[in-house]
Amino acid sequence: KAGVTQTPRYLIKTRGQQVTLSCSPISGHRSVSWYQQTPGQGLQFLFEYFSETQRNKGNFPGRFSGRQFSNSRSEMNVSTLELGDSALYLCASSFTGPKGGELFFGEGSRLTVL
Amino acid sequence: AQTVTQSQPEMSVQEAETVTLSCTYDTSESDYYLFWYKQPPSRQMILVIRQEAYKQQNATENRFSVNFQKAAKSFSLKISDSQLGDAAMYFCEAKNSNYQLIWGAGTKLIIKP
């Protein structure tokens, strides 16, 4: 069974640009959540989607957005990139919706903003 | 607001010894779940152990066990017979009935050979 796949794995952008990251969950998983991981801030929850609906959102500005498609694949978008957006962006999927279910993580997309 | 606190940014332990990583949380919910995840260097985050708040019995997975003290809102992870492969960042996570996901800042575990 394929794991959670995130693309691209690495990308470099400049300030002011926008970026779209993709996450393909494990087959059958309907919940996808996104996280920003930085050395100073640890793991920060961005948002979670379940059956194409955003169910929860963390405390990030509106420049960070996401969506989920009918096949459960999810994308997140960051507009007007800032230097502070440089981070590892992790995606995780879950079968039951993450209340009690184990999260399965992808390897992440490492974004560098110059 | 719900919070999860891991007060130890870094811990080190001699190989084969036992180490305990601390985690405290703050929630007004009665129905929630607690998790420990492990992130080895340059590798994917994986689940170590989970605990349902309604269960009084402490969860155990081989060398990993938790000390869950609901009244004190404490959820520590004990690793017995530490191995070199246990070296990683360990994150404590809490999930409530509204599917809110709250993470601790992580503890870096160093295993000394």
Side-chain angles (χ1 to χ4, degrees):
Chain A
K1 198 173 190 181
V4 177
T5 304
Q6 291 188 245
T7 57
R9 291 290 313 282
Y10 303 91
L11 65 166
I12 299 174
K13 294 285 187 178
T14 57
R15 280 180 297 175
Q17 288 187 313
Q18 67 93 27
V19 66
T20 299
L21 309 178
S22 178
C23 174
S24 293
I26 291 173
S27 178
H29 285 194
R30 296 166 64 189
S31 168
V32 174
S33 50
W34 288 89
Y35 305 86
Q36 183 193 65
Q37 186 174 25
T38 59
Q41 296 294 321
L43 207 66
Q44 303 290 319
F45 170 65
L46 281 155
F47 28 65
E48 185 244 344
Y49 288 87
F50 185 80
S51 295
E52 302 179 66
T53 300
Q54 187 181 85
R55 186 158 60 178
N56 266 299
K57 190 176 189 302
N59 295 321
F60 277 80
R63 300 185 297 107
F64 292 81
S65 62
R67 59 178 175 169
Q68 186 179 33
F69 302 96
S70 59
N71 62 358
S72 293
R73 189 177 72 86
S74 178
E75 289 181 347
M76 68 162 282
N77 184 275
V78 187
S79 62
T80 319
L81 284 166
E82 302 177 358
L83 294 178
D85 297 332
S86 294
L88 180 67
Y89 290 87
L90 295 171
C91 159
S93 74
S94 175
F95 177 66
T96 61
K99 181 179 179 182
E102 175 182 355
L103 293 174
F104 293 83
F105 283 83
E107 293 180 290
S109 293
R110 185 166 295 280
L111 170 65
T112 301
V113 181
L114 302 177
Chain B
Q2 295 187 125
T3 57
V4 173
T5 302
Q6 292 180 249
S7 59
Q8 306 150 319
E10 186 175 295
M11 290 281 286
S12 64
V13 63
Q14 205 72 36
E15 191 177 4
E17 294 188 345
T18 295
V19 64
T20 298
L21 309 183
S22 68
C23 172
T24 58
Y25 59 94
D26 183 18
T27 179
S28 57
E29 298 271 335
S30 59
D31 180 20
Y32 54 91
Y33 295 77
L34 300 166
F35 300 78
W36 279 99
Y37 281 85
K38 167 186 176 181
Q39 187 180 39
S42 302
R43 293 182 62 186
Q44 287 166 282
M45 186 107 68
I46 56 173
L47 177 69
V48 175
I49 199 165
R50 103 183 77 194
Q51 175 82 42
E52 291 90 342
Y54 64 85
K55 290 185 177 179
Q56 293 187 347
Q57 187 173 8
N58 289 329
T60 299
E61 289 285 342
N62 301 314
R63 298 182 296 105
F64 299 86
S65 62
V66 300
N67 182 5
F68 175 46
Q69 299 182 14
K70 192 171 184 178
K73 297 184 178 178
S74 172
F75 180 59
S76 60
L77 174 69
K78 186 172 86 170
I79 306 173
S80 304
D81 185 26
S82 298
Q83 300 175 1
L84 294 178
D86 295 333
M89 284 291 293
Y90 286 81
F91 293 93
C92 177
E93 187 221 346
K95 292 177 186 171
N96 67 12
S97 58
N98 293 325
Y99 304 97
Q100 289 180 320
L101 311 164
I102 312 296
W103 292 79
T107 297
K108 181 179 181 180
L109 179 63
I110 298 168
I111 311 294
K112 299 177 182 177

